[in-house]
């Protein structure tokens, strides 16, 4: 192995391992602040930034809180239950972190320092980066189950079982909504998908793309165990689910893995639907694309925090019903709509499409504006009607509540 | 050279994982060893530049089959391991409730009538009284 290759690999991976955990620390602070404001509290505001005065004038909105949390977690006792499977109890948090960290390299973020390294170490240039992304995020389920089983605790086990059922169910709409983008680009390469949306051709601005984005976002919430889908760790039902028995740094690792998974899945949503690094001013200043990418990720994270503060948790039957009776049929219908719309746009030009170029852009060039407008409105109408109908069909048959004593 | 080293490491992991998966008494440990084997196999596919097969290996075998195995093991553990007495008792009660009550004694007698079952006490006697068995 040549030294240059080692250097390139380090240049491609080490910054990811530094940047995203730093962002994680900032996000925990952001989440605590935002939740506090939603619940009419103030949130962390005492711990200052290190090297400034503790408390007092330089507390800077409590920005030092994540560091204090980290130090606290690091110095806590390592508690292992007596009956636990010691090896698996130790391995589970690590296994939860590895896939989350690994998929970060599939995000096509054009950091300035990776411009002059060879293409073979850029994972997002892989043909099939999107498939790899889904394959590796799926491994998170194993870690959750391992944690739930190794703790020898009934609440942990219940949490683990719930997590498996939830992740297996919601992975299907997640992948099916990503299929739409692959159809519109004609490639699984993450960088090509992002480049196909340069300018303002974001896929979220097409009707099927919008529907797919919403489905993707909901399924991503469930995949990362975020509220309102946080049943595996529902505090009020099963204590903390699969990490009931985890404390100290092992818990911190789980926490880190969860947030990194949030970043990764939001990054994939940005890549697939929100144009990757595209945005105003990118043509003049290429480094701005990194900023835009991170800004879009943080916008999605902010929506996740907002949803956590506002929505109540689902019941287990509602959760499964929502995945199988609502999201799955809708995403399959969405694929059909996207396919027939692309076919109608293509007309008789299907034979002379260039496979190397993004398909949707080729179809849009020289398409009749009236046909495009009709397709857009028709697709939106069909999707809206389908979503409403599925909602009516999948709604649980619950009688109106009868009050015995209160009127 | 690099590929050679990677190949040997991955094959060693694959062989060890497969051995552990076969040898372990603990089912869950066995399943996780199998997952390690599949992961190493996917790495070997990657070395052969078969990216899609590597991804499919992770997606299908580790993602789907592994979780299915875990699910099956858990369901068996939950169904048999924990509430055996309650499940048998519950089944008996439900069976008795759903049956006609004249049917119940007749079922009990036909059960006892079975010659195979009736021979069980004789086996006990034989063991008890025969000097050879003692």
């Amino acid at each position: 192995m040549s030294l240059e290759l080692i250097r390139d690999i380090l240049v491609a991976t080490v910054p990811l391992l530094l940047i995203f955990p730093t962002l994680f620390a900032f996000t925990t602070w952001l989440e605590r602040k935002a939740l506090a404001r939603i619940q009419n509290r103030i949130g962390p505001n005492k711990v200052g930034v290190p090297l400034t005065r503790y408390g007092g004038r330089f507390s800077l909105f409590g920005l030092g809180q994540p560091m204090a949390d980290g130090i606290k977690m690091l110095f806590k006792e390592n508690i292992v239950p007596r009956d636990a499977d010691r090896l698996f109890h130790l391995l589970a948090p690590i296994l939860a972190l590895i896939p989350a960290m690994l998929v970060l390299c599939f995000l096509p973020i054009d950091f300035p320092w990776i411009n002059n390294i060879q293409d073979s170490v850029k994972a997002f240039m892989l043909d099939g980066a999107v498939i790899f992304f889904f394959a590796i995020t799926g491994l998170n389920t194993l870690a959750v189950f391992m944690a739930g089983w190794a703790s020898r605790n009934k609440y942990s086990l219940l949490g683990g079982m719930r997590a498996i059922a939830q992740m297996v169910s919601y992975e299907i709409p997640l992948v099916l909504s990503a299929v739409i983008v692959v159809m519109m680009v004609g490639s699984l390469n993450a960088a090509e998908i992002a480049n196909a949306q340069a300018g303002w051709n974001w896929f979220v601005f097409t009707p099927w793309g919008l529907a797919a984005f919403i489905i993707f976002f909901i399924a991503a919430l469930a995949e990362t165990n975020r509220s309102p889908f946080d049943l595996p760790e529902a505090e009020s039902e099963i204590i903390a689910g699969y990490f009931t028995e985890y404390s100290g740094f092992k818990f911190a690792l789980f926490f880190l893995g969860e947030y990194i998974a949030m970043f990764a899945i939001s990054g994939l949503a940005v890549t697939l639907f929100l144009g990757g690094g595209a945005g105003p001013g990118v043509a003049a200043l290429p480094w701005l694309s990194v900023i835009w990418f991170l800004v879009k990720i943080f916008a999605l994270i902010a929506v996740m925090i907002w949803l956590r503060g506002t929505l109540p948790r689902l019941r287990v039957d509602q959760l499964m019903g929502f995945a199988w009776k609502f999201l799955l049929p809708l995403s399959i219908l969405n694929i059909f709509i996207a396919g027939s719309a692309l076919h109608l746009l293509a007309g008789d030009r299907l034979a002379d499409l260039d496979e190397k170029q993004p398909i949707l852009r080729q179809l849009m060039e020289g398409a009749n504006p009236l046909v495009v407008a009709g397709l857009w409105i028709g697709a939106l109408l069909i999707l809206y009607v389908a979503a409403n109908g599925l909602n009516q069909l999948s709604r649980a048959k619950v009688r109106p509540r009868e009050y015995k004593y209160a009127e | 050279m690099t590929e050679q080293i990677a190949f040997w490491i991955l094959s060693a992991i694959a062989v060890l994982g497969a051995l552990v998966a076969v040898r372990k008494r603990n089912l869950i440990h066995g399943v996780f060893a199998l997952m390690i084997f599949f992961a190493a196999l996917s790495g070997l596919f990657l070395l052969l530049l078969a990216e899609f097969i590597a991804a499919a290996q992770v997606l299908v075998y580790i993602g789907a089959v592994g979780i299915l195995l875990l699910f099956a093991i858990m369901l068996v553990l939950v169904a048999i391991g924990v509430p055996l007495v309650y499940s048998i008792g519950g089944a008996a009660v439900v069976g008795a409730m759903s049956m006609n009550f004249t049917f119940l004694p007749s079922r009990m007698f036909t059960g006892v009538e079975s010659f195979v079952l009736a021979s069980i006490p004789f086996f006990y006697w034989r063991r008890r009284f025969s000097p050879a068995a003692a």
Side-chain angles (χ1 to χ4, degrees):
Chain A
M1 189 182 276
S2 65
L3 277 173
E4 282 197 351
L5 185 60
I6 295 178
R7 189 204 65 197
D8 285 356
I9 291 174
L10 290 180
V11 166
T13 52
V14 171
L16 289 179
L17 299 183
L18 295 177
I19 289 172
F20 280 95
T22 316
L23 288 180
F24 151 75
F26 177 67
T27 313
T28 55
W29 171 84
L30 187 75
E31 175 151 23
R32 290 176 68 169
K33 274 296 210 196
L35 283 182
R37 290 316 300 167
I38 289 173
Q39 295 161 1
N40 225 350
R41 295 182 284 119
I42 295 173
N45 65 344
K46 290 284 187 243
V47 185
V49 175
L51 306 180
T52 64
R53 241 178 72 189
Y54 176 76
R57 281 171 296 166
F58 298 115
S59 69
L60 280 180
F61 320 109
L63 257 177
Q65 187 69 40
M67 184 162 284
D69 281 343
I71 291 170
K72 183 193 79 175
M73 289 291 189
L74 202 56
F75 283 96
K76 269 189 165 180
E77 187 189 348
N78 175 23
I79 300 171
V80 183
R82 194 189 56 208
D83 288 339
D85 191 319
R86 298 189 77 89
L87 177 67
F88 277 20
H89 195 263
L90 174 70
L91 278 183
I94 302 170
L95 189 63
L97 186 58
I98 289 173
M101 284 283 197
L102 205 55
V103 293
L104 286 178
C105 61
F106 293 112
L107 301 181
I109 311 178
D110 290 324
F111 286 118
W113 50 82
I114 63 168
N115 282 336
N116 45 16
I117 64 173
Q118 47 183 306
D119 271 356
S120 60
V121 300
K122 297 179 190 165
F124 57 81
M125 295 296 278
L126 211 63
D127 294 326
V130 176
I131 288 194
F132 264 99
F133 192 100
F134 287 123
I136 294 171
T137 38
L139 299 187
N140 204 12
T141 322
L142 283 179
V144 167
F145 181 83
M146 203 188 231
W149 182 79
S151 300
R152 287 293 158 84
N153 174 329
K154 59 187 172 223
Y155 296 111
S156 300
L157 196 57
L158 278 174
M161 296 295 287
R162 280 184 176 192
I164 290 186
Q166 175 177 328
M167 287 176 170
V168 168
S169 321
Y170 278 88
E171 207 165 1
I172 301 166
L174 192 77
V175 176
L176 284 183
S177 54
V179 165
I180 308 267
V181 173
V182 177
M183 283 162 69
M184 286 194 278
V185 181
S187 167
L188 283 164
N189 184 327
E192 276 182 31
I193 290 175
N195 289 337
Q197 307 173 66
W200 288 98
N201 300 315
W202 302 2
F203 290 140
V204 74
F205 296 144
T206 56
W208 40 89
L210 179 67
F213 173 65
I214 295 170
I215 294 172
F216 187 94
F217 188 70
I218 294 172
L221 280 180
E223 268 309 277
T224 50
N225 293 333
R226 290 287 298 182
S227 179
F229 300 107
D230 58 345
L231 282 103
E233 51 201 76
E235 294 94 348
S236 47
E237 300 164 24
I238 47 175
I239 309 184
Y242 54 90
F243 43 65
T244 304
E245 297 290 356
Y246 282 93
S247 60
F249 201 63
K250 287 192 219 164
F251 174 74
L253 282 183
F254 263 122
F255 204 50
L256 177 63
E258 204 166 281
Y259 274 79
I260 298 281
M262 270 165 65
F263 284 125
I265 206 103
S266 318
L268 189 66
V270 169
T271 310
L272 292 180
F273 301 102
L274 298 181
V282 171
L285 304 165
W287 54 267
L288 215 54
S289 75
V290 179
I291 310 281
W292 280 120
F293 205 102
L294 293 179
V295 163
K296 287 172 192 173
I297 286 183
F298 265 92
L300 288 183
I301 298 247
V303 176
M304 287 184 177
I305 294 171
W306 175 32
L307 288 179
R308 180 176 172 191
T310 35
L311 289 181
R313 189 181 301 128
L314 270 73
R315 279 198 321 262
V316 177
D317 59 321
Q318 288 172 334
L319 178 89
M320 301 314 264
F322 188 60
W324 292 105
K325 294 185 199 158
F326 185 81
L327 287 183
L328 181 63
L330 198 61
S331 48
I332 290 174
L333 176 76
N334 198 11
I335 289 178
F336 277 108
I337 289 175
S340 37
L342 291 184
H343 190 77
L344 285 175
L345 273 178
D348 50 357
R349 292 180 297 161
L350 211 54
D352 39 71
L353 284 181
D354 184 7
E355 285 176 10
K356 295 273 186 281
Q357 299 296 321
I359 290 171
L360 185 71
R361 190 179 293 175
Q362 290 179 62
L363 294 180
M364 293 296 284
E365 282 166 9
N368 188 352
L370 273 177
V371 176
V372 173
L375 269 178
W376 250 239
I377 294 169
L380 272 180
L381 263 180
I382 295 175
L383 282 168
Y384 180 75
V385 170
N388 256 335
L390 281 171
N391 186 21
Q392 293 293 328
L393 279 179
S394 65
R395 184 166 289 173
K397 309 279 183 299
V398 183
R399 281 179 290 116
R401 192 163 177 179
E402 289 169 15
Y403 292 97
K404 270 185 185 169
Y405 304 110
E407 267 308 319
Chain B
M1 188 59 200
T2 319
E3 285 171 9
Q4 286 279 312
I5 296 170
F7 169 77
W8 284 111
I9 292 173
L10 284 172
S11 344
I13 293 173
V15 170
L16 280 177
L19 276 179
V20 172
V22 175
R23 298 287 301 175
K24 270 277 181 189
R25 301 287 298 177
N26 187 327
L27 269 178
I28 305 253
H29 286 185
V31 171
F32 276 105
L34 197 65
M35 300 298 103
I36 290 171
F37 164 70
F38 283 142
L41 213 58
S42 136
L44 287 176
F45 279 127
L46 211 52
L47 271 187
L48 295 173
L49 299 181
E51 292 161 7
F52 186 79
I53 303 181
Q57 177 84 21
V58 177
L59 200 64
V60 174
Y61 282 96
I62 303 185
V65 174
I67 286 164
L68 206 68
L69 276 174
L70 286 176
F71 235 133
I73 290 169
M74 286 317 302
L75 286 180
V76 168
L77 277 186
V78 167
I80 289 180
V82 191
L84 183 62
V85 181
Y86 297 114
S87 63
I88 291 177
V93 168
V94 169
M97 299 273 278
S98 62
M99 268 190 268
N100 192 339
F101 275 97
T102 56
F103 190 58
L104 189 61
S106 79
R107 279 304 292 257
M108 285 168 73
F109 279 105
T110 46
V112 179
E113 217 178 40
S114 160
F115 284 111
V116 182
L117 281 181
S119 68
I120 288 176
F122 292 106
F123 281 110
Y124 274 101
W125 274 336
R126 187 176 171 275
R127 192 187 163 80
R128 205 105 175 254
F129 296 120
S130 94

